[in-house]
Amino acid sequence: MCFALIPFLGFSQGNTNTIKAQLALGVNSPSSGGFVDDFEANGINLPTVNLGLQYMFKPLLGAKLDFGFNRFSNANDTPEFKINYSRINVQLVYDARKIFALENRLGVFAHLGPGYSIVKPLGDFSQNNTSFLNAMGGIEFHYGISDNLSLYLDTAYILGFGKDFSPVSDGFGSFNGNLLTITFGVSISLSGCYFCED
């Protein structure tokens, strides 16, 4: 539905909009509270991959639909496990460039919105799949390379609303907590040019 509305909204808003595709790679850090006793993940894990489509329907306000994939695995001296953590989120995006009075090629975007997380353990605990609602918030720092391309750094926190594992064995090798991600990526204009509007 979001994809179907984008062309219509683009025509109705004229020069006040932009559509961008985003791709970012980075690292993740799961909260220790998301694991049952005796299980613990590494503090920093690879990879994190984020794919997004962002639409600015007003000069300072927009929306983003994005998908994230994360992999994390056990720390030393804990049972061996690996987890695939995927999420999809719909977020509001706010362009905070004017608040910080940044130069034309620099941008700061805050994003916040609800989503859904899917956790798939691998190996011995593959039966302990779980899924839950989440809320994600973060901030992106952009640097415009050209009118159509910018590089950005995104720091985001995903708050998970997973239920407690019952019985506890359902949580072996699984995860129901919060996740911090730090990614570096590219943002490509698909319609118009946000940095060259000023």
Side-chain angles (χ1 to χ4, degrees):
M1 190 166 142
C2 290
F3 288 108
L5 288 175
I6 285 172
F8 172 78
L9 292 171
F11 287 118
S12 67
Q13 295 293 329
N15 291 331
T16 64
N17 75 80
T18 186
I19 300 173
K20 290 185 177 183
Q22 295 182 323
L23 169 64
L25 303 173
V27 297
N28 65 74
S29 179
S31 64
S32 58
F35 300 97
V36 297
D37 289 346
D38 297 329
F39 286 81
E40 183 181 347
N42 289 313
I44 298 177
N45 300 272
L46 293 167
T48 289
V49 180
N50 291 336
L51 302 170
L53 187 64
Q54 178 176 296
Y55 172 68
M56 299 300 287
F57 48 82
K58 290 189 176 180
L60 299 180
L61 192 63
K64 175 163 73 167
L65 176 67
D66 69 336
F67 169 80
F69 171 81
N70 305 272
R71 165 79 60 86
F72 41 92
S73 57
N74 62 284
N76 293 334
D77 302 322
T78 67
E80 188 173 336
F81 67 89
K82 285 186 180 178
I83 294 174
N84 286 344
Y85 177 108
S86 302
R87 57 148 195 93
I88 188 164
N89 287 79
V90 178
Q91 303 178 74
L92 285 176
V93 177
Y94 177 71
D95 183 350
R97 235 183 342 158
K98 292 185 179 179
I99 292 175
F100 297 101
L102 298 174
E103 67 172 86
N104 208 28
R105 292 278 176 200
L106 298 178
V108 177
F109 293 84
H111 55 91
L112 176 69
Y116 193 69
S117 297
I118 301 165
V119 175
K120 293 187 175 292
L122 306 175
D124 295 339
F125 306 107
S126 58
Q127 75 280 5
N128 288 341
N129 295 334
T130 189
S131 55
F132 45 87
L133 297 176
N134 73 54
M136 180 178 184
I139 188 163
E140 298 175 359
F141 300 93
H142 287 245
Y143 178 76
I145 299 297
S146 71
D147 290 342
N148 297 317
L149 178 69
S150 65
L151 302 178
Y152 72 96
L153 173 70
D154 181 26
T155 301
Y157 193 75
I158 304 149
L159 181 65
F161 299 109
K163 296 179 180 177
D164 291 340
F165 294 113
S166 181
V168 172
S169 59
D170 286 349
F172 289 176
S174 193
F175 179 74
N176 66 355
N178 308 328
L179 189 68
L180 173 68
T181 64
I182 300 173
T183 55
F184 181 76
V186 294
S187 183
I188 303 167
S189 281
L190 301 179
S191 174
C193 165
Y194 194 79
F195 285 110
C196 59
E197 283 179 4
D198 295 337

